[in-house]
Amino acid sequence: MCAAIYAARNGAKVTIIEKNTVLGKKLSMTGNGRCNLTNLDMREECYNIAARGRMKEWLSTYGVEDVISFFKSLGVVVKSEDGYIYPVSGQASTVVRALENEISRLGIEVVYGQQLKGVSAEDEGVYEVKTDKDSFTCDAVILAVGSLSGAKSTMSTGDGYYICKKLGMNVKDTYPALVGFKCDPQEQMPKAGVRITADISFVLGKETLAREQGELQLTADGISGIPVMQASRDVIRFVEEKKPVYAVIDFFPDYDDKDFESLKADMLKLKDDRTLEEFLQGFSNSNITEMVLSRMKLSKSMKMKNISSSMAECILDNYRALRLKIDESYGYMASQVTTGGVSLGDIGSDFAYKKAPGIFCIGELVDVDGRCGGYNLQWAFTSGSIAGTAASL
Ligand SMILES: Cc1cc2nc3c(=O)[nH]c(=O)nc-3n(C[C@H](O)[C@H](O)[C@H](O)COP(=O)(O)OP(=O)(O)OC[C@H]3O[C@@H](n4cnc5c(N)ncnc54)[C@H](O)[C@@H]3O)c2cc1C
């Protein structure tokens, strides 16, 4: 939609071919329905390693302020929440409507319910776009067909990867990212869901693959929440390759080692005739405590005076470094982005395919993925605006 608007504003006659019955289905679901458009803390490090070298140039061509001005030009007022940019309306649907209004104002034709099947180069600079129902001739094609991530209704079936491979592009292996993980079924998880601030590291042998802090969600079968999603981009490949990846959770992220030792020493002073349950009552979330004790096969009615100091310390240490074996991710449908896709080596700085400069690849189809927090929509708008303008020249 963004690419179409930029191309049409630059004088091109534009047609959008949309497989769905509506435009912007995924966009309308972003940010929990509030649409986190971009982020004031915009740095190339917020994107995958393969993209970082080129992100600086792209973001300096079309950055955060450009996204904000673009939406201002559509009448969408935005606000910052700690640097996270949202529409003031608090409704992603208003963003979609504003884009649709501009599309119709610019006279862009929208063909609904047709699935792009392939693109072929005809004569010099002429391309044929084939759908399941029709074919179109044009002098530039922008492939903006997204990825494999998102609910069924978003129609994210990864068609673009197949189409691009047929055109000779190198497509990097794809994995779901910004996603939660199921834990090994042998792991004892909390019976009721828990949301708690924690520090989480993902380790493979001695290597730490990723480390994040924030509100963690533990459920009966796995872990999710923002810190897990952020870390997932660096962890997913190893999980998919069935490597033994563990999550190590610290429920006391604000305590350094010295503070935690002194906290433990204070706790051990309470080793009297109270029960284990009473001892741990105010130490952490009760569902976490239940989980820790059942994993250690300890009864909560045990008297603290009958538990050795080293065992009591060991119980407390579990809250500092609880290890959970990761089994698999919750999959593409539960993920917010797909990592992998069309290799950046195949596209120029204006997103044109190097072997056929009238074909452009943008958005999530390309091997670029960002952290959670507006970085993926920024990428869609950055690549869309640059390609839209270039395609219209
Ligand atoms: C639940 C959820 C929440 C998210 N929240 C945020 C957020 O708050 N902030 C953020 O930055 N990012 C967020 N993201 C990620 C962001 O939505 C995507 O990165 C972004 O939408 C990608 O844009 P795109 O244009 O490349 O692809 P899409 O938005 O997926 O658009 C692709 C379009 O192509 C159409 N299409 C697909 N195949 C074909 C075909 N063969 N023929 C014709 N049409 C086709 C699809 O129907 C779709 O309309 C979220 C993602 C999800 C799933």
Side-chain angles (χ1 to χ4, degrees), residues 99-108:
L99 288 162
E100 284 179 325
N101 289 343
E102 184 69 354
I103 282 166
S104 119
R105 198 184 66 79
L106 289 165
I108 296 170

Side-chain angles (χ1 to χ4, degrees), residues 48-118:
N48 54 320
I49 290 169
R52 282 180 203 166
R54 299 179 71 182
M55 236 31 223
K56 206 178 187 126
E57 181 203 330
W58 282 322
L59 288 172
S60 67
T61 306
Y62 196 93
V64 176
E65 290 309 322
D66 299 294
V67 170
I68 294 172
S69 306
F70 173 61
F71 279 101
K72 201 171 173 189
S73 79
L74 305 182
V76 176
V77 185
V78 302
K79 63 173 174 180
S80 161
E81 291 181 13
D82 293 329
Y84 294 68
I85 303 294
Y86 291 93
V88 164
S89 66
Q91 294 170 305
S93 56
T94 59
V95 173
V96 177
R97 285 296 92 74
L99 288 162
E100 284 179 325
N101 289 343
E102 184 69 354
I103 282 166
S104 119
R105 198 184 66 79
L106 289 165
I108 296 170
E109 189 190 349
V110 185
V111 176
Y112 292 98
Q114 289 201 27
Q115 181 181 15
L116 174 71
K117 289 287 193 186

Side-chain angles (χ1 to χ4, degrees), residues 275-278 280 292-294 296-304 307 315:
T275 63
L276 188 49
E277 184 178 28
E278 288 163 348
L280 292 169
V292 167
L293 294 184
S294 85
M296 295 185 79
K297 303 196 175 13
L298 291 169
S299 153
K300 10 186 210 193
S301 59
M302 284 171 85
K303 291 277 187 197
M304 283 311 293
I307 294 179
I315 296 169

Side-chain angles (χ1 to χ4, degrees), residues 17-20 22-27 29-32 35-38 86 114-117 144-147 149-151 154-157 159-160 163 335-337 362-365 371 373-378 380:
I17 299 171
E18 170 56 63
K19 177 162 79 160
N20 221 333
V22 289
L23 287 175
K25 183 69 189 176
K26 191 184 286 180
L27 187 58
M29 296 160 90
T30 54
N32 281 329
C35 191
N36 182 190
L37 286 166
T38 180
Y86 291 93
Q114 289 201 27
Q115 181 181 15
L116 174 71
K117 289 287 193 186
V145 287
S147 64
S149 295
T154 65
M155 300 266 188
S156 298
T157 46
D159 303 359
I163 292 164
S335 69
Q336 288 199 0
V337 288
I362 60 167
E364 242 190 88
L365 171 64
R371 284 173 69 79
Y375 299 97
N376 290 294
L377 285 178
Q378 172 72 48

